[in-house]
Amino acid sequence: MARHADDPVGAPLAGITVVSLEQAVAAPYATRQLADLGARVIKVERPDGGDFARGYDRTVHGQSSYFVWLNRGKQSLTLDLKQPAGRQVVHRLLDSADVLVQNLAPGASARLGLDAASVGKRHPGVIACTITGYGESGPWRDRKAYDLLVQAEAGLLSVTGSAAEAARTGISVADIAAGMFAFSGLLSALYVRATTGEVRPVSVSLLDALAEWMGQPLYYGHYSARRSPRTGARHATIAPYGPFTAGDGGTVLLAVQNQPEWQRLCEFVLDRPDLVHDARFAANPDRVAHREELESIITAAIASLTVDELQRRLDAAGVATARINDVEQVWNHPALAGRDRWRQFNTPGGPAEALIPPATLAGVQARIGDVPALGAHSRMILEGLGFSREEIAELARTRVTTLA
C-alpha cells in the first residue's frame, strides 16, 4: 500500500493499515505503538460516546489522561456495529487493510462476524489480533476481565504492597503487558506475512501476559515452597535493596546486586569494612535472611549524613541508587529533558507533550500524531471507501455513524 503523506520518511510501518475495534488500555496501547511506527490506525468507536476511556477523567485540556496517552496518531471513525450497515463499513475497510485488532467483550466479535476465523475466511490477507482476559478457549473464556482483577488472579497482589496490606500496582500493568505482547506479536505476524505470505492470527490474554511477567515470583514460590513476601518498596529476594532515610530525613533508594557492590557499600559508604566478611551478610541469601539486622546497621551508619552527602558517597562508590520521584519530577527528569525525549502534539482541547517511543531506531523519526476528537475522521474515511455524499448522509441519519 502507498505511504501516507503524514508518515515520516523511513517509518517502518508506513503503508500498513490497521483497523481497531478497541477500548480502554490493552488494544489501544498496542495500536498506538503501531501508529508511532507509521501505520495508519483507524480507531472504530461507538457513536454514543466512543471508547469509554474518553470519560475516565478530564485532566488534559478537558480530555482523559488515559485517552491522550493511548490514542495519539489515530483516526477516529464512529460506527454502530450492531447495525448491519456499520459492519459492512468495517468489511469495506478490511478489504484494503492489513491488520484487525479487537478487545471487545467476550463473544462480541463472534456475534458481529469479526472474530479471527470469520475475518480469515472473508479477508484472507488480514492479520486478526484478539486480546482477551483469560484466553479464547478454556473454562474462563467468557469471563470479563479488568486490570485489577487480573492483577489479583495472576498473583501480583500477593507480592505487591506491605506485609499488612496488598496494593494495586499504580499503573494498569496487566493491560500494558497484554498491549506489549499484542504489539510484538503483530510485528512478528507482519514479518511472517512479508517473508512467507502466510497470515497467522495473533491472540493475547491479559492473564497470560501478566503471568509471564510474574515469572520470578512464580519460580521462587513453586520451587522453594516459600511465598515471596510483600515488602513495600524493598526487594523481596535481594538485600540491601530499598529505601533508606538519611540523617536529615531525606530518602535514597539503594540497590546492591552483587558482591563487589556490597564490598564498596561497606567500605566507602558505611565505613564498615568489617561487614564484608560478616557471616550474617556473606552472600545475598544471608543478607535477605538477616534483613532487619542489616537495615538497622545501614540506618545507623548513615544517620550522620545528609541525603545529598549519602547520594554523593553512593555515586562515588559505584553503588546503584535513585531518589523516589513524584510524577512532576519525572516530567522534568534531566535524563529525559537532556536527551530531547519530549515532543509536542495536539489534543481536541489544546497542545500537549508526549515522550517518544522507548525503542529508537537509528535514522528513523517516530510519528507523534494528534489525538482525534470522536468521529473526527468519519467523513474522510467513508469518502475514501467510495461512499457518496448521499450515502454518508444516510449513515449519519440512521446513527450508523456521526460526522464531526
Side-chain angles (χ1 to χ4, degrees):
M1 300 181 68
R3 185 171 67 83
H4 300 288
D6 62 346
D7 285 335
V9 174
L13 297 185
I16 296 295
T17 296
V18 179
V19 178
S20 193
L21 316 179
E22 61 180 29
Q23 53 199 359
V25 176
Y29 189 48
T31 58
R32 196 217 73 191
Q33 294 178 89
L34 297 173
D36 289 345
L37 293 177
R40 181 192 186 195
V41 176
I42 299 173
K43 181 182 181 75
V44 177
E45 302 189 70
R46 296 176 295 107
D48 57 339
D51 181 344
F52 55 73
R54 285 183 178 272
Y56 281 169
D57 59 70
R58 300 188 182 92
T59 58
V60 186
H61 305 306
Q63 311 299 308
S64 159
S65 56
Y66 275 90
F67 195 85
V68 168
W69 165 46
L70 295 165
N71 291 286
R72 65 175 187 242
K74 301 179 185 180
Q75 299 176 355
S76 175
L77 166 65
T78 53
L79 288 177
D80 182 358
L81 298 181
K82 294 181 180 178
Q83 297 194 51
R87 297 195 292 276
Q88 285 305 311
V89 173
V90 172
H91 284 297
R92 286 175 71 164
L93 283 170
L94 293 176
D95 284 338
S96 57
D98 301 280
V99 172
L100 171 68
V101 178
Q102 67 90 7
N103 68 331
L104 302 178
S109 62
R111 291 192 296 272
L112 296 170
L114 292 168
D115 58 298
S118 300
V119 169
K121 293 176 181 177
R122 186 162 178 174
H123 308 282
V126 172
I127 298 166
C129 176
T130 304
I131 300 176
T132 64
Y134 299 104
E136 294 186 80
S137 61
W140 282 31
R141 63 183 178 275
D142 296 325
R143 193 181 184 105
K144 283 189 175 182
Y146 297 113
D147 185 84
L148 178 57
L149 307 182
V150 178
Q151 288 192 35
E153 292 290 348
L156 184 58
L157 293 188
S158 76
V159 298
T160 305
S162 67
E165 183 179 13
R168 171 190 176 272
T169 302
I171 58 174
S172 301
V173 65
D175 286 320
I176 294 168
M180 286 300 304
F181 283 115
F183 172 56
S184 62
L186 283 167
L187 294 180
S188 298
L190 285 166
Y191 178 79
V192 169
R193 194 187 67 169
T195 55
T196 71
E198 296 181 21
V199 175
R200 298 188 179 276
V202 176
S203 180
V204 177
S205 89
L206 272 68
L207 179 64
D208 293 348
L210 195 54
E212 163 62 23
W213 283 13
M214 281 286 294
Q216 183 274 323
L218 289 174
Y219 281 118
Y220 183 90
H222 181 73
Y223 286 98
S224 71
R226 296 193 304 271
R227 181 177 65 85
S228 293
R230 292 194 300 267
T231 54
R234 298 179 179 91
H235 195 290
T237 58
I238 302 175
Y241 195 142
F244 290 87
T245 302
D248 63 354
T251 299
V252 167
L253 193 148
L254 64 87
V256 171
Q257 293 269 20
N258 53 57
Q259 289 303 107
E261 282 187 337
W262 167 243
Q263 182 170 346
R264 293 196 300 273
L265 175 71
C266 296
E267 294 177 348
F268 304 120
V269 179
L270 306 179
D271 290 328
R272 289 290 306 273
D274 57 296
L275 297 177
V276 175
H277 303 294
D278 190 314
R280 295 172 297 172
F281 314 126
N284 181 68
D286 305 307
R287 293 192 288 273
V288 172
H290 298 89
R291 185 196 300 273
E292 290 188 9
E293 297 170 75
L294 173 61
E295 292 184 352
S296 294
I297 291 171
I298 293 174
T299 299
I302 65 176
S304 62
L305 303 175
T306 67
V307 69
D308 289 335
E309 290 170 339
L310 175 58
Q311 182 81 66
R312 285 194 291 271
R313 284 198 185 188
L314 290 165
D315 289 341
V319 176
T321 180
R323 300 287 180 95
I324 302 176
N325 290 331
D326 60 28
V327 293
E328 194 62 25
Q329 289 170 316
V330 176
W331 191 276
N332 296 295
H333 201 292
L336 297 174
R339 292 162 50 242
D340 192 28
R341 301 297 294 178
W342 292 97
R343 298 290 183 275
Q344 191 171 87
F345 65 106
N346 293 314
T347 77
E353 290 179 291
L355 288 166
I356 60 177
T360 55
L361 279 68
V364 175
Q365 183 177 357
R367 183 181 71 178
I368 307 298
D370 296 335
V371 175
L374 180 61
H377 302 89
S378 294
R379 187 185 299 276
M380 178 197 73
I381 293 170
L382 292 169
E383 288 176 347
L385 292 174
F387 285 89
S388 67
R389 289 184 179 179
E390 292 75 18
E391 289 172 320
I392 294 173
E394 180 62 15
L395 289 172
R397 186 191 69 79
T398 56
R399 298 294 295 175
V400 171
T401 190
T402 54
L403 306 176

